[in-house]
Amino acid sequence: MTPHNLDLIFTLTGALVAALAFGLLTHRIGLSPIIGYMVAGVFLGRHAAGYVANYDIASELAEIGVILLMFGVGLQFNLKELLAVRAVAIPGALVQIALATVLGAVTAHGFCWDWGAGILFGLSISVASTVVLTRILSDNNALHTQTGHIAIGWLVVEDIFTVLVLVLVPALAGKGGQGAGNALLSIGGAIGKISLLIAITFFFGRRWLPQFLGWVAATRSRELFTLSVLAVALGIGVSSATLFGASMALGAFLAGMIVNQSAYSHRAAIEALPMRDAFAVLFFVSVGMLFDPWNFNQEWWMIGLTCLVILVGKPIAALLVVRMLNYPLHVGLSVAIALSQIGEFSFILATLGRELKILPGTAVDVLVASSMISITLNPVLYRLARPTAKIIGQNPFLHWLLDPAASAFRMEQEHQDKGMTPRQRAIVVGYGPIGRLVVRLLMENEVEPTVVELNSDTVQLLGTQGIRAIYGDASHIETLKVAGLEKTKNLILTASELSGAVELVQAARDANPKVYIVARTVRLETKKSLLDAGANRVFSAEGEMALSITECLLQTLGATQDQLEANRDSIRKKVLSFESSG
């Protein structure tokens, strides 16, 4: 028998080893590793014939993964980006929740559940998984796109709504001396607590958190800085749950947004967040541990109808809202499909309903099975969103029917551009001293630049000057696609230390094989990697310095102009190697 004091070690080891084995297997056969993680949980769960892991410990470890994941999402988004999508995220989330709740309640009532259980079941399948959504967006380089911003904002609204439901359900159930008459008071108290959490977090966090991280960074201790970031993420997450009754995921998300406004966000992501993937794996393992495969034969009809609500009903509601607000069809399809799954918050609501004796015991099995099916199909369906939108766009009738605003715009552009020669365009990444000079020279030569910049103040300033600018991280290919990569003829990387520049050049070459890529780097050794990745020309500060020094020495030795030109060509070939061999 396993000693009690080793439960944590045995559970952690068993979960990670099993997740690795089944994750590799599912990846090998072309499925998402997430499915393998949940299958590993089934084999480790209490319904398995073999090794049984401690579910309570596994679920707590999984909660750490959710906290770190939401903290990482917050690190990559700021308040302005979320407020920019509030017009679609708030109504969209509420409409989708309402429709999914109604469909779920009707489905449950058809299987002889009472309406109270049906409504709670519908609420459980109305909210999407944080872990799955962020993983889907990250895997498809969509986290920094318009789709990613809308989906994350949508998810935040769902999280806040879930917190309200968690407060309201016990009141309606008459627990703890509360009756249904106190429901409005409970909702008001929950809203007040969440508002107070946000106010306190941003008021004190924006004032003191950057200073605290700066003080820790000044110690030049990597361990202390990593520890401080983990303490901030977990500390604010746990405090939001214990002091304000909010979800730990929401508190961690707010903490990440605050750190994102400091100069230490990039270092925090590099040094403290790699472990989030390992802990996020434990979430899927814990989901699989809940599943009782022996109940599948008895509940398969309800599982099928529940999946129909998740995979069809929810996406239709989301697509209609996004399209009604005049967003492009591919954005609507991508957002709708990304949200067509359920996860951790569904199980939190279901667990509460079971504890309050509102939901029957089979509800959890139905939700786990539906979660596994929807998570399995979600990545495949998401990759079909853009091709589907493209097919619709090529069909005149369907394009007019489903995307009338875009059709009208396209026809208007065709009339305006008829007989006109389009202007040359170029994407300029970075607006430092070199970027500013490049943009000015391009405009003087009648080339229309689009600047990709992470400094929001710079983006706003360029907008007032009539220069098109995109706020976003250029290391993500989706940001360049928003800037028009697939149609532009020139891509200029003026930032010398762009994160992931080699991978970005390769992705840009794949997205637009005809684009002419010019890159800048500080080090000579990086130049070959950029050329091999697909850059047409690469300029190195070290190489240019070597060239200037050599020319200066030749002049002092009395070299003629012809000799300088000949040596300059030789130096460029031997030292700089600007042109790619391909």
Side-chain angles (χ1 to χ4, degrees), residues 493-544:
L493 308 180
T494 67
S496 60
E497 295 295 335
L498 182 63
S499 176
V502 174
E503 293 80 3
L504 178 63
V505 169
Q506 186 174 13
R509 176 62 62 205
D510 293 337
N512 185 353
K514 296 182 179 180
V515 67
Y516 191 86
I517 303 176
V518 179
R520 172 192 170 211
T521 182
V522 173
R523 305 179 186 280
L524 278 169
E525 58 265 25
T526 309
K527 180 174 56 182
K528 185 179 185 304
S529 300
L530 290 170
L531 291 170
D532 292 340
N536 296 91
R537 300 191 71 173
V538 180
F539 295 89
S540 166
E542 290 180 346
E544 292 293 341

Side-chain angles (χ1 to χ4, degrees), residues 68-80:
L68 293 178
L69 185 73
M70 286 304 293
F71 180 72
V73 172
L75 274 175
Q76 302 175 69
F77 286 88
N78 58 43
L79 185 59
K80 291 181 180 179

Side-chain angles (χ1 to χ4, degrees), residues 245-518:
S247 67
M248 287 186 280
L250 179 61
F253 177 78
L254 295 174
M257 289 179 64
I258 294 172
V259 176
N260 178 48
Q261 299 176 24
S262 72
Y264 308 100
S265 59
H266 184 65
R267 183 179 176 187
I270 291 177
E271 296 188 6
L273 293 179
M275 67 182 68
R276 70 181 178 184
D277 291 334
F279 279 100
V281 165
L282 296 176
F283 161 73
F284 296 105
V285 174
S286 67
V287 169
M289 291 174 67
L290 286 171
F291 183 58
D292 184 358
W294 308 112
N295 285 337
F296 186 83
N297 289 334
Q298 303 174 9
E299 306 293 340
W300 69 272
W301 264 107
M302 187 170 186
I303 293 172
L305 292 175
T306 301
C307 289
L308 197 64
V309 174
I310 297 170
L311 297 173
V312 178
K314 289 175 61 177
I316 288 177
L319 177 60
L320 289 176
V321 172
V322 176
R323 286 295 301 119
M324 287 177 63
L325 294 173
N326 294 322
Y327 282 86
L329 180 60
H330 73 87
V331 172
L333 283 173
S334 298
V335 171
I337 294 174
L339 294 165
S340 63
Q341 35 78 17
I342 60 173
E344 62 273 17
F345 289 109
S346 303
F347 304 121
I348 293 174
L349 288 172
T351 302
L352 176 64
R354 189 173 58 178
E355 292 175 353
L356 296 175
K357 301 186 184 304
I358 299 176
L359 289 176
T362 57
V364 173
D365 289 327
V366 172
L367 288 174
V368 172
S370 301
S371 172
M372 295 178 70
I373 294 172
S374 64
I375 290 175
T376 301
L377 297 177
N378 196 249
V380 178
L381 295 175
Y382 186 87
R383 287 193 290 268
L384 295 176
R386 274 188 174 273
T388 302
K390 188 174 182 179
I391 292 173
I392 293 175
Q394 293 173 346
N395 186 298
F397 175 74
L398 291 177
H399 196 263
W400 176 85
L401 181 65
L402 295 178
D403 206 0
S407 297
F409 176 78
R410 184 182 64 178
M411 292 175 63
E412 179 182 352
Q413 287 298 108
E414 288 176 353
H415 286 299
Q416 290 179 355
D417 295 341
K418 190 174 182 180
M420 297 177 58
T421 302
R423 291 188 64 183
Q424 293 289 327
R425 292 181 173 87
I427 298 175
V428 180
V429 176
Y431 199 68
I434 294 179
R436 288 195 292 271
L437 181 59
V438 169
V439 168
R440 182 172 66 82
L441 293 174
L442 288 174
M443 296 178 67
E444 289 178 355
N445 288 274
E446 298 185 353
V447 177
E448 183 179 341
T450 296
V451 178
V452 178
E453 175 61 50
L454 264 175
N455 189 317
S456 59
D457 294 334
T458 300
V459 172
Q460 293 178 1
L461 177 62
L462 289 172
T464 61
Q465 297 174 355
I467 301 175
R468 184 169 182 256
I470 302 296
Y471 173 73
D473 186 353
S475 64
H476 296 271
I477 189 63
E478 287 297 331
T479 303
L480 295 184
K481 289 182 178 180
V482 172
L485 173 64
E486 295 171 332
K487 295 182 179 180
T488 192
K489 293 185 177 180
N490 303 282
L491 173 62
I492 306 169
L493 308 180
T494 67
S496 60
E497 295 295 335
L498 182 63
S499 176
V502 174
E503 293 80 3
L504 178 63
V505 169
Q506 186 174 13
R509 176 62 62 205
D510 293 337
N512 185 353
K514 296 182 179 180
V515 67
Y516 191 86
I517 303 176
V518 179

Side-chain angles (χ1 to χ4, degrees), residues 35-363:
I35 307 306
Y37 305 152
M38 288 192 289
V39 173
V42 174
F43 278 85
L44 296 176
R46 60 183 182 273
H47 304 292
Y51 174 78
V52 177
N54 189 314
Y55 173 73
D56 293 332
I57 293 177
S59 61
E60 290 185 12
L61 293 173
E63 189 66 33
I64 296 177
V66 175
I67 291 173
L68 293 178
L69 185 73
M70 286 304 293
F71 180 72
V73 172
L75 274 175
Q76 302 175 69
F77 286 88
N78 58 43
L79 185 59
K80 291 181 180 179
E81 290 176 338
L82 293 178
L83 291 177
V85 298
R86 68 185 183 278
V88 62
I90 295 176
L94 295 179
V95 169
Q96 188 182 54
I97 288 173
L99 180 61
T101 300
V102 171
L103 294 176
V106 171
T107 300
H109 190 68
F111 287 87
C112 301
W113 294 14
D114 61 59
W115 283 110
I119 291 174
L120 186 57
F121 180 79
L123 289 171
S124 299
I125 64 176
S126 68
V127 291
S129 167
T130 301
V131 179
V132 175
L133 179 68
T134 52
R135 178 65 63 86
I136 291 295
L137 294 175
S138 298
D139 290 348
N140 290 275
N141 296 317
L143 202 57
H144 298 276
T145 64
Q146 187 179 47
T147 296
H149 294 168
I150 293 175
I152 292 297
W154 199 299
L155 192 67
V156 170
V157 176
E158 288 188 351
D159 290 353
I160 295 175
F161 181 83
T162 304
V163 173
L164 296 178
V165 173
L166 291 173
V167 174
L168 178 61
V169 169
L172 293 177
K175 299 297 179 180
Q178 292 183 334
N182 293 325
L184 292 178
L185 183 61
S186 298
I187 293 176
I191 293 176
K193 288 181 179 180
I194 293 175
S195 301
L196 185 61
L197 167 64
I198 294 174
I200 291 177
T201 302
F202 276 89
F203 179 78
F204 289 101
R206 297 174 79 174
R207 289 172 176 264
W208 304 110
L209 194 53
Q211 296 182 17
F212 168 71
L213 292 177
W215 179 73
V216 176
T219 64
R220 299 184 180 274
S221 170
R222 181 174 180 176
E223 293 81 4
L224 287 176
F225 186 83
T226 302
L227 183 62
S228 67
V229 174
L230 291 176
V232 168
L234 295 173
I236 296 181
V238 173
S239 298
S240 66
T242 56
L243 300 179
F244 299 94
S247 67
M248 287 186 280
L250 179 61
F253 177 78
L254 295 174
M257 289 179 64
I258 294 172
V259 176
N260 178 48
Q261 299 176 24
S262 72
Y264 308 100
S265 59
H266 184 65
R267 183 179 176 187
I270 291 177
E271 296 188 6
L273 293 179
M275 67 182 68
R276 70 181 178 184
D277 291 334
F279 279 100
V281 165
L282 296 176
F283 161 73
F284 296 105
V285 174
S286 67
V287 169
M289 291 174 67
L290 286 171
F291 183 58
D292 184 358
W294 308 112
N295 285 337
F296 186 83
N297 289 334
Q298 303 174 9
E299 306 293 340
W300 69 272
W301 264 107
M302 187 170 186
I303 293 172
L305 292 175
T306 301
C307 289
L308 197 64
V309 174
I310 297 170
L311 297 173
V312 178
K314 289 175 61 177
I316 288 177
L319 177 60
L320 289 176
V321 172
V322 176
R323 286 295 301 119
M324 287 177 63
L325 294 173
N326 294 322
Y327 282 86
L329 180 60
H330 73 87
V331 172
L333 283 173
S334 298
V335 171
I337 294 174
L339 294 165
S340 63
Q341 35 78 17
I342 60 173
E344 62 273 17
F345 289 109
S346 303
F347 304 121
I348 293 174
L349 288 172
T351 302
L352 176 64
R354 189 173 58 178
E355 292 175 353
L356 296 175
K357 301 186 184 304
I358 299 176
L359 289 176
T362 57

